[in-house]
Amino acid sequence: IQFRQARQEFLQHRMTHMPKKFEKKRNREQVTVEYFQGCLADGPYLTAIERYLNTALFNNIEDIRTLLLEKNLMPQIHVIFISGLYGVLSANDHICDYHLGISDGIQPPDLGGLLRATIDNYMIDNEILDSNVYYMLSHNYRAHLDINHIWNDLWIGNGTRNQERSNQLYTFLANL
């Protein structure tokens, strides 16, 4: 909660003082800071898995989207996300559209430890072993998380879009 409050305050400040940073495309339409302000105030809210499954992350989006949505319904599979605004989210948490990366602006003290503690508690609550954790984080996000060396890294290459990484994720999900 402390993380989210600090990040919300920073996001509001950024929207007021740097509105040009919010000129983006959403659903192939140009949006401005007013769009994001409206989303924060009134939604629409989607589950994290619906919000984050987009072509910016994966090249073969429909195949990965279908598999992730199917696997998320399985009780033994837990999909979580690390958000620049919300921190650690389960796939079914409802969130609005926003534009804030993990490294944007001032970070709460000990961000990596805070995120790691949240993940560790989630793992304890759901009886998940360290050796059963697989993650796919960009280098930017990885720098902000105290990653357990036992967890399994699925990230390949650099940049956001990467066909090899998309193929690896698809294969991994298909074999679960």
Side-chain angles (χ1 to χ4, degrees):
I1 294 175
Q2 180 184 14
F3 174 85
R4 289 181 186 180
Q5 286 175 322
R7 298 301 284 167
Q8 285 250 352
E9 289 171 13
F10 173 74
L11 183 59
Q12 293 293 346
H13 173 81
R14 189 175 207 186
M15 286 193 287
T16 301
H17 298 286
M18 294 181 255
K20 291 275 188 206
K21 289 196 176 275
F22 296 90
E23 293 177 359
K24 301 288 174 192
K25 287 207 175 203
R26 291 296 194 258
N27 299 318
R28 296 185 181 102
E29 292 184 27
Q30 191 68 31
V31 298
T32 63
V33 68
E34 289 82 10
Y35 165 82
F36 291 102
Q37 289 169 330
C39 287
L40 288 170
D42 302 317
Y45 289 85
L46 298 175
T47 62
I49 199 165
E50 292 170 314
R51 178 75 60 205
Y52 292 135
L53 288 180
N54 60 56
T55 55
L57 296 178
F58 306 110
N59 293 316
N60 51 344
I61 182 65
E62 287 308 314
D63 295 337
I64 291 174
R65 172 186 277 280
T66 300
L67 276 173
L68 265 175
L69 291 171
E70 285 174 11
K71 300 301 180 181
N72 188 51
L73 295 175
M74 299 170 68
Q76 69 273 29
I77 304 292
H78 299 266
V79 178
I80 64 171
F81 296 93
I82 300 188
S83 160
L85 177 60
Y86 294 99
V88 178
L89 296 166
S90 80
N92 297 317
D93 286 340
H94 285 80
I95 61 173
C96 66
D97 196 358
Y98 66 93
H99 181 66
L100 187 66
I102 197 79
S103 61
D104 293 338
I106 301 166
Q107 303 300 326
D110 190 27
L111 174 63
L114 181 62
L115 294 173
R116 170 69 183 275
T118 304
I119 293 169
D120 286 345
N121 287 335
Y122 182 90
M123 291 172 57
I124 290 167
D125 291 346
N126 292 283
E127 300 178 359
I128 301 169
L129 300 173
D130 285 322
S131 60
N132 290 336
V133 173
Y134 293 83
Y135 67 96
M136 185 175 268
L137 293 170
S138 70
H139 299 296
N140 188 22
Y141 274 68
R142 191 178 307 190
H144 293 284
L145 177 62
D146 177 20
I147 295 174
N148 184 323
H149 70 279
I150 298 173
W151 297 351
N152 302 284
D153 187 2
L154 297 175
W155 188 265
I156 296 175
N158 295 315
T160 305
R161 297 175 201 212
N162 178 300
Q163 186 65 47
E164 186 180 7
R165 183 170 48 249
S166 293
N167 292 342
Q168 177 172 324
L169 180 58
Y170 176 81
T171 301
F172 172 77
L173 291 170
N175 290 319
L176 281 177

